[in-house]
């Protein structure tokens, strides 16, 4: 890394006014932005030579032509992936629950192997609300 000019080390920021400090900060931001832009240009050129196309979007800016699931989820606010209430609870450990979707948890498989049925593990909603146990899936 390059050594800072001796003048920078001797700057007395305590005696600079607010406006002068803002101007120094602005000049620093501009210098860093110019360096970043230059380096990105070099990287894009190297990527192009290797057969790649590199695109960057500033944080907070969206491309207008975006399509697909992400664009729909971002814009519409209609997220299809919402939590599913649990249907089954482990009687030995009430924290362990299962919504009945996907692969059966080990505790469900163990209970079925012991001769229990899924109906035996069903959550009784009224009991769950009285006990204050949350019906989330694990």
């Amino acid at each position: 890394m390059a050594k800072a000019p001796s003048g920078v080390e001797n700057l007395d920021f305590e005696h600079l006014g607010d406006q002068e400090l803002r101007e120094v900060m602005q000049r620093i931001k501009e210098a860093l932005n110019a360096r970043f832009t230059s380096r990105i240009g070099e990287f894009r050129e190297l990527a192009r030579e290797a057969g790649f196309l590199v695109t960057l979007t500033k944080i907070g800016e969206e491309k207008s032509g975006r399509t697909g699931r992400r664009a729909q989820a971002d814009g519409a606010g209609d997220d299809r992936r919402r939590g599913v209430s649990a249907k089954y609870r482990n009687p030995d450990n009430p924290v362990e629950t299962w919504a009945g979707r996907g692969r059966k948890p080990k505790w469900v498989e163990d209970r079925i192997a012991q001769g229990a049925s899924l109906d035996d593990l069903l959550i009784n909603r009224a009991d769950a609300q009285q006990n204050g146990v949350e019906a989330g899936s694990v």
Side-chain angles (χ1 to χ4, degrees), residues 53-73:
L53 174 65
V54 177
T55 59
L56 296 175
T57 304
K58 202 169 195 176
I59 295 174
E61 293 179 3
E62 292 292 325
K63 285 188 174 183
S64 59
R66 225 171 136 182
T67 59
R69 285 188 178 186
R70 273 194 172 171
Q72 292 169 356

Side-chain angles (χ1 to χ4, degrees), residues 57-116:
T57 304
K58 202 169 195 176
I59 295 174
E61 293 179 3
E62 292 292 325
K63 285 188 174 183
S64 59
R66 225 171 136 182
T67 59
R69 285 188 178 186
R70 273 194 172 171
Q72 292 169 356
D74 290 346
D78 178 27
D79 191 5
R80 294 183 190 185
R81 298 172 292 167
R82 54 187 167 266
V84 178
S85 296
K87 276 177 81 173
Y88 305 98
R89 175 168 284 120
N90 184 351
D92 296 333
N93 185 358
V95 175
E96 294 180 327
T97 59
W98 179 50
R101 295 183 176 184
R103 185 175 174 194
K104 291 180 182 132
K106 179 96 171 94
W107 63 266
V108 172
E109 290 177 352
D110 291 345
R111 282 290 183 163
I112 292 173
Q114 293 171 2

